[in-house]
Amino acid sequence: VEVATSILSRLEAAWRRSDVLFAMLAPEALLVQPIPLRQPFIFYIGHLPAFAWNQVARGLLGRPSFEAAFDALFERGIDPHDVDRHDAATPWPPLPAVLAYRDRCREALRGAIEDVQARAGTDVLAERGRIFALVLEHERMHHETLLYMVQQLAADRKRKPSDWPAPRLGRGAASTRIAVPRGEATLGAAFDALPFGWDNEFPERRADVPAFAIDSCPVTNGAWAAFAEAGGYETRRFWTDEDWEWKERADLHAPAFWAGTPGRWRCRGLFDEWPLETVEDWPVYVSAAEARAYAASRDARLPTEAEFHRAAFGAPEGRERPFPWGDAAPGPAHGNFGGREGGPVPVGTCPSGASAWGVHELIGNGWEWTSTPFAPFPGFAPYVRTYAGYSQDFFDGRHLVLKGASWATDDVFVRRSFRNWFQPHYPYVFAKFRCVWPA
Ligand code: AVJ
Ligand code: FE
């Protein structure tokens, strides 16, 4: 009963957050698709309940659909091969119908908790309430999707909540180069070590990581402006062939988060815009393609996933840590994640979240790009039989692993084994980077 109550209250909290986020949209924004690869907002109003219903009621309990067309229409948001599954000629259903569907799904889920628990002894997805953790994490993941879509939405189509946090302007810390000696890093996790993890987090894998040096802080807007103004976007040798071609085609001269012109850049937040000088110590949010061009300009490269782990969780005394700062459960003292700030903060201003080596904000203030293609660990199994394609569909060599968390990432994702992934030419994520060099 206690477990059921906690599942229910976590579901209800996630749903309330979903409703708060959708309330940021002006009504005319529902059909807007601010990111071409993503569906319009209305899709997500249906996707969150459809996903939960499809997983728990249809997938696990085998219940019949009450609205099969919506179950299918709202099932998946992004196709592995970037194909928009919704035929543009077919109009989306009216909002009241989608909201009625959402409410019916939520009601069915409230009623399904005990039925799922009854199968805990025989079904790995019912055991430890895994299917509900999955549904909860999916909903919370999409909260961040929504926020970075709202970020791209025109100002007159969104509404700032009255309690939106004030921006943290001001100076950050200067970045230094930190030497990390050779050692082992643990990636992933043993299946039984976590109450829930996505398929791509398992099993545990040890990597031997040669010594390297790494920026103590991520690259800032100010440093990026210097790169852009020195001709970084126009210097062919900093870019790989593919990245150059993409950048040329997109006609990119600045990060997707910037507006304005050279010397007069402005940085766009979710609802406001600032002259770059006032936020020059915020981490710069860029695509991996831009990040690796910047790294090349400094004779550096992006860290691998294993190097990120070594920098974040390794320690001179040998024993790896669950979190960069040690054993304490993640909270506001450890970094800018969990949606407590409304955007980035100046780099290096949360020293209590630094790793054993003194590397700052590896978790929080922006996801971090790695150079590692998203791929399964040896022994991978798509154990979520109701969603076997969650990771597998993206093991295509076209996605990179990101680690850490952004200001918008829920606390639930702050665990060592969590892996995010995006294409290197996807510039919309709250994703920062730092450089590494040979030792
Ligand atoms: C893990 C964040 C890359 O947003 O495409 C949501 C998560 N998968 N619904 C994404 C996801 C299906 C996924 N990322
Ligand atoms: Fe989804």
Side-chain angles (χ1 to χ4, degrees):
V1 180
E2 205 179 295
V3 177
T5 315
S6 119
I7 290 172
L8 185 62
S9 68
R10 283 183 295 145
L11 280 174
E12 301 281 359
W15 293 339
R16 276 195 300 277
R17 175 84 175 141
S18 300
D19 298 346
V20 164
L21 294 177
F22 285 117
M24 291 176 177
L25 301 173
E28 64 275 16
L30 281 186
L31 294 175
V32 176
Q33 198 175 353
I35 297 178
L37 279 182
R38 290 274 175 186
Q39 304 273 26
F41 289 102
I42 181 118
F43 167 82
Y44 293 93
I45 300 185
H47 176 56
L48 299 182
F51 179 86
W53 161 262
N54 283 332
Q55 289 298 311
V56 176
R58 288 182 61 211
L60 196 147
L61 295 173
R63 296 211 176 132
S65 293
F66 60 87
E67 188 135 20
F70 278 16
D71 295 351
L73 175 63
F74 293 117
E75 184 176 10
R76 273 191 84 156
I78 187 164
D79 192 88
H81 304 296
D82 313 335
V83 180
D84 189 341
R85 299 172 128 226
H86 184 69
D87 170 11
T90 318
W92 289 94
L95 180 63
V98 182
L99 294 179
Y101 171 78
R102 176 198 71 188
D103 291 343
R104 221 173 137 184
C105 290
R106 287 181 180 177
E107 200 45 38
L109 285 156
R110 291 183 186 103
I113 297 175
E114 284 177 19
D115 295 345
V116 170
Q117 282 187 313
R119 303 192 182 199
T122 53
D123 184 338
V124 67
L125 298 178
E127 187 192 16
R128 301 176 82 169
R130 284 193 183 96
I131 197 82
F132 288 110
L134 174 140
V135 156
L136 264 159
E137 291 201 5
H138 177 263
E139 187 118 0
R140 295 226 172 252
M141 246 179 231
H142 275 301
H143 293 166
E144 181 157 357
T145 313
L146 278 166
L147 287 167
Y148 76 66
M149 286 171 62
V150 169
Q151 168 88 37
Q152 296 301 322
L153 191 63
D156 57 349
R157 288 176 156 164
K158 55 192 172 189
R159 296 178 180 153
K160 179 155 97 170
S162 55
D163 58 352
W164 194 253
R168 292 246 311 260
L169 309 174
R171 302 315 307 253
S175 191
T176 60
R177 234 182 249 198
I178 296 200
V180 179
R182 176 180 182 171
E184 271 211 332
T186 306
L187 282 67
F191 189 71
D192 291 320
L194 298 182
F196 170 76
W198 295 90
D199 52 7
N200 65 67
E201 297 174 58
F202 304 120
E204 192 171 275
R205 197 202 120 196
R206 292 231 156 69
D208 179 58
V209 187
F212 61 98
I214 188 164
D215 280 331
S216 68
C217 291
V219 174
T220 61
N221 280 326
W224 193 270
F227 167 74
E229 277 153 31
Y233 280 90
E234 289 77 44
T235 305
R236 179 65 187 82
R237 71 173 190 283
F238 296 158
W239 302 74
T240 67
D241 293 350
E242 246 185 283
D243 291 352
W244 180 261
E245 200 192 304
W246 166 77
K247 179 219 56 126
E248 288 287 291
R249 202 164 339 120
D251 196 26
L252 222 67
H253 302 279
F257 286 78
W258 289 14
T261 50
R264 309 181 60 163
W265 299 115
R266 295 189 307 281
C267 182
R268 297 185 319 140
L270 217 61
F271 299 104
D272 303 288
E273 245 181 55
W274 298 273
L276 200 78
E277 306 77 69
T278 62
V279 296
E280 63 187 355
D281 284 354
W282 284 4
V284 68
Y285 291 162
V286 288
S287 65
E290 292 163 285
R292 54 200 180 194
Y294 178 97
S297 79
R298 292 175 72 196
D299 294 316
R301 57 178 176 78
L302 299 181
T304 64
E305 184 180 13
E307 285 167 340
F308 180 98
H309 273 253
R310 179 84 179 125
F313 309 112
E317 65 270 18
R319 186 185 78 95
E320 282 177 272
R321 304 169 159 201
F323 305 104
W325 52 84
D327 294 306
H334 302 121
N336 181 16
F337 50 81
R340 287 171 281 264
E341 303 283 348
V345 303
V347 300
T349 51
C350 187
S352 52
S355 79
W357 319 105
V359 183
H360 286 272
E361 59 189 62
L362 287 151
I363 296 185
N365 218 20
W367 290 95
E368 293 217 2
W369 286 108
T370 77
S371 61
T372 301
F374 183 54
F377 295 143
F380 165 87
Y383 82 94
V384 185
R385 65 177 188 284
T386 49
Y387 193 10
Y390 173 72
S391 303
Q392 253 177 329
D393 284 352
F394 301 91
F395 293 153
D396 56 5
R398 295 166 61 189
H399 294 77
L400 295 176
V401 173
L402 294 91
K403 293 291 299 183
S406 88
W407 63 269
T409 308
D410 192 85
D411 291 4
V412 76
F413 301 111
V414 179
R415 58 175 178 261
R416 190 168 73 186
S417 57
F418 188 80
R419 309 166 82 199
N420 206 347
W421 67 90
F422 285 103
Q423 300 199 35
H425 299 164
Y426 195 67
Y428 309 112
V429 189
F430 305 123
K432 62 190 183 341
F433 74 103
R434 67 185 84 215
C435 296
V436 307
W437 293 265

